[in-house]
Amino acid sequence: MFDADDVQRVALSLPETVEKERWGHPTFDVAGRMFLTIPDDQTSFAVRCPRFDREELIAAEPHKFWVPPHEAASAWVRVRLDALEDPQELHDILTDSWRQAAPGRLTDT
């Protein structure tokens, strides 16, 4: 099973990622744009996700992906840590969110 430390380790391995505290919990930015947050209970994390993709993810794997009511209008999705299958899945989810926030000079590789 994964924990918040695993999420932090992977996030900080991505180019130009910095950790900041917002709302009393860790968030992660690239080039001044947030791409990840780990809420207080640390059983899930939130990442950027276009709404259309988010609906598909939740429909396909509701045990893994969800959106709390207060974030319904956002372009973010929550991921349950205990539902992740392997380290590669964690890396892929975080990298996808990072790419959505990162400037082209970092993603054009």
Side-chain angles (χ1 to χ4, degrees):
M1 185 167 138
F2 298 98
D3 62 23
D5 291 338
D6 297 315
V7 176
Q8 178 189 41
R9 178 183 47 75
V10 173
L12 291 174
S13 75
L14 300 170
E16 297 188 28
T17 295
V18 295
E19 183 175 352
K20 296 182 177 185
E21 186 171 317
R22 291 184 180 100
W23 312 290
H25 54 267
T27 64
F28 299 82
D29 292 11
V30 57
R33 296 186 66 200
M34 188 169 62
F35 71 92
L36 166 67
T37 183
I38 304 173
D40 290 338
D41 69 3
Q42 298 190 351
T43 61
S44 67
F45 58 92
V47 290
R48 290 175 172 265
C49 184
R51 280 204 212 153
F52 178 77
D53 294 340
R54 179 178 78 180
E55 291 172 14
E56 286 185 4
L57 284 172
I58 293 168
E61 298 182 273
H63 65 284
K64 187 179 297 181
F65 300 103
W66 63 288
V67 176
H70 70 278
E71 294 176 6
S74 74
W76 290 72
V77 67
R78 297 263 183 117
V79 184
R80 291 181 177 91
L81 283 165
D82 64 359
L84 293 173
E85 297 170 21
D86 58 42
Q88 188 63 50
E89 183 178 33
L90 173 61
H91 184 270
D92 291 348
I93 290 169
L94 295 180
T95 300
D96 184 60
S97 184
W98 176 88
R99 284 184 164 285
Q100 292 177 59
R105 67 180 169 75
L106 294 176
T107 61
D108 294 339
T109 56

